[in-house]
Amino acid sequence: MGYSSLKTGADVYQAPRGTIDILPEEQFYWRHVEQQASDTCRLYGYGRIDTPAFESTGLFSRSIGEETDIVSKEMYSFEDKGGNRLTLRPEGTAPVCRAYIEHGMHNQPQPVKLYYLAPIFRYERPQAGRYRQHHQFGYEAIGDSDPVLDAEVIEVAWRFYEKLGLKKLKLLLNSIGCRKCRPDYLRSLKDYYGKHIDGLCKDCKVRLEQNTLRLLDCKQPQCQPLTAAAPRSADHLCPDCDEHFKLLKGYLGLLGLPFSVDHRLVRGLDYYTRTVFEIQPQTGGAQSTIGGGGRYDDLIEGLGGKPTPAVGFATGIERIILNLKKQKVSIPPLSRPQVFIAPLGERARDEAVKLAASLRQDGIGVLQAYGSRSLKAQLRQADKLGAGYAVIIGEEELANGTAVLRDMTTARQETVAMEKLSAELQSQLC
Ligand code: HAM
């Protein structure tokens, strides 16, 4: 775009629908959540991974499932100038599995534990807590089928929310079986719903043919009574899945994590096997789920890797922050520059420029006054910016090689030799 089109353009741009700007005054929430996420991950041996914002479209359609809402309606897909079909990451698990395979991580000690903090893109209908770009903290433990690992993955999520100070959460758990026992369960689900087809909503009639498991997840009132009486996956598990589920529940008990089995809990992605779980606010229901995950023992093989069991979880940072605000959890503020330099006159300004640079080199955050304003106006600005101290340099101070150090809270002032200012500030600030 040339300069002239910038000058004459009359459009007023806004952030695209369903996206938000995270302004400086909101950042302390984000930094805090991210810090707690990485601290928690460190305790359980997870290493951070960052994957590209876009991947081959096939990676997502193959892993999440063609019939899911995410793949059929919500992906931001495009063809690049080289004719490659690409998609902005609509979730984080498939890219991590792709990276696990691509980098031969099966040669490392298993399970390989990886976590990520990343923007996620889904073309959804925006509403409170639902965006077209949101951010997830997620983690994946790849390479072991032990139910202890499922329990640990759930524990990481629970302890992370606890550390953040979130309360009144509930943990919902289910097992949806494996490729051995699922077909039998799907058949009985299909039989059951087939007998009640007239009572189903329009979408469920389609689900009956295309994605039977998702019938359990329907939110339409007319489908609720039918779903409440539907066959339960937990009653159709093969002996191995049954044992896995029993052991998992036992470990969760040992860890003191309060869960309830929700026989209707399936998930919006097709790659899950055995364990599925969600964490929701006690009031609010499935629409307000703040995190979800489960086991996906067939995914890596499905993407061309060796058969590799895995389990993981992801949580939406926007929804966490929404709940932190709702619950009025206090979050530590970010530190801001504490020192404001207020020069009076041209020569003092030169001195202020040099002083600001040298204080910053000593690690002290400094705000400078710009333009030429009166002392009163400069001090007012220092106050508004929340500076703890102002350094005033006028003609007299210039002549004496000093500065006036003003405590902005008490308005107490003292004259300090310029060369002692840094040490003085450092002792006051700590
Ligand atoms: P998911 O349930 O689709 O799972 O998303 C995880 C979390 O991301 C949700 O619980 C929610 O907090 C947040 N989220 C999802 N969509 C939106 C949205 N449109 N706006 C705001 N927040 C949203 C997954 O993505 C799986 N990859 C989780 C996983 C990891 N399973 C195994 N490993």
Side-chain angles (χ1 to χ4, degrees):
M1 188 194 288
Y3 174 63
S4 58
S5 61
L6 262 181
K7 212 165 55 168
T8 56
D11 286 338
V12 178
Y13 295 108
Q14 293 188 331
R17 191 165 136 72
T19 68
I20 54 163
D21 296 313
I22 307 166
L23 300 173
E25 54 268 30
E26 285 284 300
Q27 292 288 343
F28 70 113
Y29 278 107
W30 288 79
R31 297 292 83 78
H32 182 64
V33 172
E34 288 169 4
Q35 189 62 51
Q36 296 298 329
S38 37
D39 285 356
T40 309
C41 280
R42 190 177 43 79
L43 291 179
Y44 291 81
Y46 285 80
R48 178 159 175 156
I49 183 165
D50 292 284
T51 61
F54 54 83
E55 300 267 357
S56 298
T57 299
L59 173 69
F60 297 117
S61 44
R62 182 121 69 103
S63 48
I64 302 169
E66 297 280 1
E67 312 299 344
T68 59
D69 283 354
I70 296 179
V71 172
S72 65
K73 301 184 202 156
E74 297 171 0
M75 296 212 298
Y76 281 89
S77 297
F78 59 97
E79 195 175 296
D80 72 5
K81 290 187 167 50
N84 305 297
R85 294 291 305 158
L86 299 169
T87 294
L88 296 183
R89 169 180 48 213
E91 66 105 43
T93 308
V96 170
C97 291
R98 194 262 312 133
Y100 175 93
I101 299 167
E102 184 170 335
H103 300 287
M105 292 190 211
H106 62 275
N107 292 318
Q108 297 176 13
Q110 307 293 298
V112 173
K113 292 175 161 181
L114 301 164
Y115 81 95
Y116 46 92
L117 289 153
I120 304 285
F121 307 88
R122 295 183 187 174
Y123 186 79
E124 293 198 78
R125 200 168 46 78
Q127 59 179 55
R130 197 202 283 154
Y131 304 93
R132 289 184 175 167
Q133 174 180 305
H134 72 276
H135 298 76
Q136 284 186 5
F137 158 46
Y139 49 89
E140 316 292 343
I142 305 177
D144 207 303
S145 61
D146 191 331
V148 169
L149 189 56
D150 304 47
E152 190 189 272
V153 161
I154 296 173
E155 189 198 12
V156 174
W158 196 260
R159 303 288 178 232
F160 164 65
Y161 293 136
E162 261 178 1
K163 263 212 227 163
L164 282 174
L166 280 181
K167 297 199 176 72
K168 299 194 191 115
L169 300 178
K170 58 181 176 190
L171 166 58
L172 302 176
L173 182 70
N174 198 11
S175 174
I176 55 169
C178 66
R179 58 182 156 190
K180 267 195 285 168
C181 50
R182 179 104 47 87
D184 170 48
Y185 174 57
L186 291 181
R187 256 192 307 278
S188 61
L189 211 53
K190 226 172 184 165
D191 277 358
Y192 168 81
Y193 277 104
K195 284 185 195 131
H196 300 91
I197 193 160
D198 292 341
L200 291 176
C201 73
K202 195 166 70 43
D203 287 346
C204 278
K205 286 182 178 144
V206 179
R207 288 188 188 117
L208 184 56
E209 292 313 314
Q210 295 187 343
N211 198 341
T212 320
L213 212 51
R214 300 282 301 164
L215 282 161
L216 295 172
D217 200 27
C218 180
K219 308 286 180 307
Q220 293 298 323
Q222 73 181 95
C223 297
Q224 301 308 305
L226 270 182
T227 301
R232 299 167 160 191
S233 55
D235 298 333
H236 289 76
L237 299 177
C238 61
D240 287 349
C241 288
D242 194 43
E243 175 74 359
H244 187 275
F245 195 32
K246 278 202 186 101
L247 287 169
L248 167 59
K249 287 185 282 188
Y251 293 130
L252 291 177
L254 287 180
L255 289 166
L257 303 185
F259 63 91
S260 29
V261 174
D262 179 352
H263 294 287
R264 294 179 52 175
L265 181 66
V266 289
R267 301 255 308 127
L269 306 101
D270 282 353
Y271 49 60
Y272 292 108
T273 50
R274 295 187 167 174
T275 311
V276 286
F277 69 100
E278 286 191 354
I279 296 176
Q280 298 174 1
Q282 274 169 11
T283 51
Q287 298 290 0
S288 57
T289 295
I290 57 174
R295 187 162 268 291
Y296 47 93
D297 289 344
D298 300 331
L299 180 54
I300 294 199
E301 187 181 7
L303 292 174
K306 295 180 193 308
T308 310
V311 54
F313 172 80
T315 176
I317 299 182
E318 287 81 355
R319 288 193 194 175
I320 291 176
I321 293 175
L322 218 66
N323 281 279
L324 287 172
K325 288 181 179 171
K326 230 188 249 172
Q327 297 187 10
K328 299 194 168 45
V329 178
S330 78
I331 306 293
L334 292 176
S335 68
R336 305 182 43 173
Q338 280 291 305
V339 179
F340 185 97
I341 303 184
L344 299 169
E346 271 313 304
R347 283 199 321 123
R349 158 161 315 281
D350 291 353
E351 196 56 36
V353 168
K354 285 194 290 175
L355 177 64
S358 100
L359 289 179
R360 286 175 185 139
Q361 290 212 317
D362 292 344
I364 301 171
V366 175
L367 297 164
Q368 261 180 276
Y370 307 107
S372 53
R373 293 191 223 174
S374 70
L375 179 61
K376 203 168 150 202
Q378 294 194 47
L379 290 180
R380 209 178 309 125
Q381 197 188 5
D383 199 40
K384 275 194 196 150
L385 292 170
Y389 297 88
V391 175
I392 304 163
I393 310 171
E395 286 299 325
E396 196 184 322
E397 287 74 33
L398 269 183
N400 299 337
T402 60
V404 172
L405 181 58
R406 178 186 173 95
D407 183 323
M408 293 298 293
T409 323
T410 61
R412 214 171 59 85
Q413 299 196 160
E414 60 179 317
T415 299
V416 180
M418 202 56 109
E419 69 272 12
K420 295 213 173 115
L421 199 56
S422 176
E424 180 64 27
L425 277 168
Q426 290 188 50
S427 78
Q428 304 255 1
L429 289 172
C430 69

